[in-house]
Amino acid sequence: IVAASSNPGDVVLDPFCGCGTTVHAAEKLGRKWIGIDVTHLAIGLIQRRLGEAFGLKLGKDYELHGTPRDLDGARALAEADKHQFELWAVSLIPNAQPWKGGRKGADQGRDGILYVQDAAKKPHPCIIEVKGGAIGDAQIRSLIGAMERMDAPMGIFVTLNEPTKPMLRTAAAAGFWDPGHETAQPIPRVQIVTVEQLLSSPVPPIRLPMVRTDGHRKAARETKVTQGKLDL
């Protein structure tokens, strides 16, 4: 459709861009594009797709509007839509996925998940919990309970507000996980990170062993089309 209805250099607009199929096709065919979607889950998916397929980088090859850029923007999103805030916060952690595909509903202390592996390359879940409001020691205990139910060796607690001292003590008391790598040090089982830290650091301040990425369906590497030819 993009090839038949536009020329190279034209602008293609998809106001409900979902998983980014139209954006992908427009980029491959040498068109400019604008994609719009109401969910942060969709935007994060398209960002990953553009990076995997074309090597595009945010800020260098394309612009992103409407997502929080600073702490004030994050607070505004948390107040406006708790669920979208949670999806956005999970997307700040590389290779993390929303819990149950980002669907609303009771999550029992689980907003996201990523998989880490031990020395034997066995995958283990790392649970992510996000809080945009008042927090306390009870939330850390809830995360630990979710870890026990899922037999997860690790948990990450993402908070909009600064953690309290009791929260830090409870997280520290959870101990360490040794993935068995010869060169790796034992890793804290429960780690607390603030949204401000995730926004201000190019590398998330989280200690992780090797992360499994094969749970993601990756976009194939693309070569841009020349002379109007499209390989299907």
Side-chain angles (χ1 to χ4, degrees), residues 62-92:
Y62 64 93
E63 298 177 357
L64 179 61
H65 302 275
T67 59
R69 302 291 182 89
D70 53 29
L71 199 56
D72 287 339
R75 292 189 188 282
L77 177 59
E79 292 175 2
D81 193 320
K82 173 187 173 183
H83 182 63
Q84 289 301 318
F85 170 75
E86 292 169 351
L87 292 176
W88 169 77
V90 169
S91 75
L92 297 177

Side-chain angles (χ1 to χ4, degrees), residues 27 31 133 147-148 184 200 209 221:
E27 178 67 25
R31 275 66 166 167
M147 291 164 56
E148 291 173 350
S200 61
R221 192 70 175 181

Side-chain angles (χ1 to χ4, degrees), residues 116-174:
V116 294
Q117 66 182 31
D118 57 25
K121 297 186 177 181
K122 178 182 177 181
H124 300 270
C126 174
I127 298 173
I128 301 169
E129 183 173 359
V130 178
K131 291 297 180 184
I135 53 173
D137 184 52
Q139 278 80 24
I140 302 301
R141 297 186 184 279
S142 175
L143 173 59
I144 294 172
M147 291 164 56
E148 291 173 350
R149 289 191 297 272
M150 286 190 63
D151 194 24
M154 293 186 62
I156 299 172
F157 188 87
V158 181
T159 171
L160 190 56
N161 299 307
E162 289 294 322
T164 64
K165 289 183 179 179
M167 292 172 64
L168 296 173
R169 286 196 294 266
T170 300

Side-chain angles (χ1 to χ4, degrees), residues 49-63:
R49 184 172 183 172
L50 291 173
E52 292 170 351
F54 303 102
L56 301 188
K57 297 185 180 298
L58 174 63
K60 177 184 177 183
D61 302 303
Y62 64 93
E63 298 177 357

